[in-house]
Amino acid sequence: MSILYGIPLSTFTRKIRFALAEKGVDYELRPVRMGGSAELRQLHPLGKVPVYQSGDLVIPDSSVIIAWLERVHLQHPLYPADPALFAQALFLEEYADTRLREGIAPIFYECTLKRMFQKKPPDDAVVARAMKIVEEGSDYVESCVAEGPFILGNGISVADVAVAAQYITLEQGGTGIDAGRWPRLAAWLGRFRQRPRIAAILEEEADLLAEGRLG
Ligand SMILES: N[C@@H](CCC(=O)N[C@@H](CS)C(=O)NCC(=O)O)C(=O)O
């Protein structure tokens, strides 16, 4: 069976778990010590998760993993067949992984990880700066969300798994999506998180968080 190296509460590990769940691909989630461990550097030159291993093939980086999965597991595609939607989906994946991440990661760190592991309060100035990025990012994502059921309309895509993975981290940092300001975004995430395989992953994560563990 293929191996996914990562930890459940890592945003990019979650992105891949969502993708694998939607594609119906079985895998073993293998926890790995982060923080630049030698073990992880052997798998990923930057010492990051996720890394996916299929046989002898070791694939770092969530976007590369999904691109490979699309080639190998043709069922339940995450890349739209329509070229324009394909481009939009890839751009939303990129936007989530970079710009949304830039705002959401510090909020999760300040409001959850710092309390959990250092017993320290968040730095309000850092949170305020990060929140501005999230707000601007949410304005953009809101403008992209179609009527549904998925971000780009009728078909699930890589945009759904990438954007959802980020907003779940935001929630775990104590901030939900303001449905008054971003109604489409909030409604879409509400629908997405209710998908049975997604809900099962999120339940597991909620239990870990309640226990004060990341994986
Ligand atoms: N572009 C990478 C980003 C991966 C990433 O930043 N992973 C985080 C965990 S969510 C990580 O490994 N952080 C540890 C570190 O940077 O040392 C991807 O899409 O896989």
Side-chain angles (χ1 to χ4, degrees), residues 10-13 15 34-36 46-50 61-63 97 101:
S10 124
T11 308
F12 291 98
T13 302
K15 178 182 161 192
M34 299 192 27
L46 301 175
K48 290 179 188 274
V49 293
D61 194 277
S62 65
S63 301
D97 289 1
R101 165 82 173 167

Side-chain angles (χ1 to χ4, degrees), residues 22-126:
E22 288 295 338
K23 280 189 157 294
V25 175
D26 288 333
Y27 61 98
E28 175 199 336
L29 178 62
R30 196 172 289 180
V32 66
R33 210 158 54 78
M34 299 192 27
S37 70
E39 179 198 9
L40 194 48
R41 282 195 179 274
Q42 287 208 328
L43 297 164
H44 190 313
L46 301 175
K48 290 179 188 274
V49 293
V51 175
Y52 191 76
Q53 183 166 10
S54 173
D56 291 336
L57 182 65
V58 174
I59 312 166
D61 194 277
S62 65
S63 301
V64 179
I65 295 167
I66 291 179
W68 179 86
L69 289 170
E70 283 290 285
R71 286 282 182 103
V72 174
H73 300 282
L74 304 182
Q75 73 280 16
H76 308 295
L78 295 171
Y79 283 177
D82 175 82
L85 289 178
F86 173 64
Q88 279 179 42
L90 286 192
F91 182 70
L92 275 168
E93 177 187 26
E94 173 65 16
Y95 189 82
D97 289 1
T98 55
R99 189 59 174 165
L100 290 180
R101 165 82 173 167
E102 199 181 324
I104 289 172
I107 293 172
F108 182 63
Y109 174 75
E110 291 294 331
C111 302
T112 299
L113 296 183
K114 234 165 123 177
R115 276 193 208 284
M116 203 187 260
F117 296 112
Q118 300 172 21
K119 311 278 177 244
K120 283 188 184 157
D123 179 327
D124 292 338
V126 172

Side-chain angles (χ1 to χ4, degrees), residues 111-155:
C111 302
T112 299
L113 296 183
K114 234 165 123 177
R115 276 193 208 284
M116 203 187 260
F117 296 112
Q118 300 172 21
K119 311 278 177 244
K120 283 188 184 157
D123 179 327
D124 292 338
V126 172
V127 174
R129 259 197 317 273
M131 205 59 91
K132 272 198 171 359
I133 297 175
V134 173
E135 287 175 3
E136 172 210 286
S138 300
D139 286 344
Y140 173 67
V141 178
E142 173 78 8
S143 76
C144 298
V145 179
E147 282 301 333
F150 300 104
I151 288 194
L152 295 178
N154 284 331

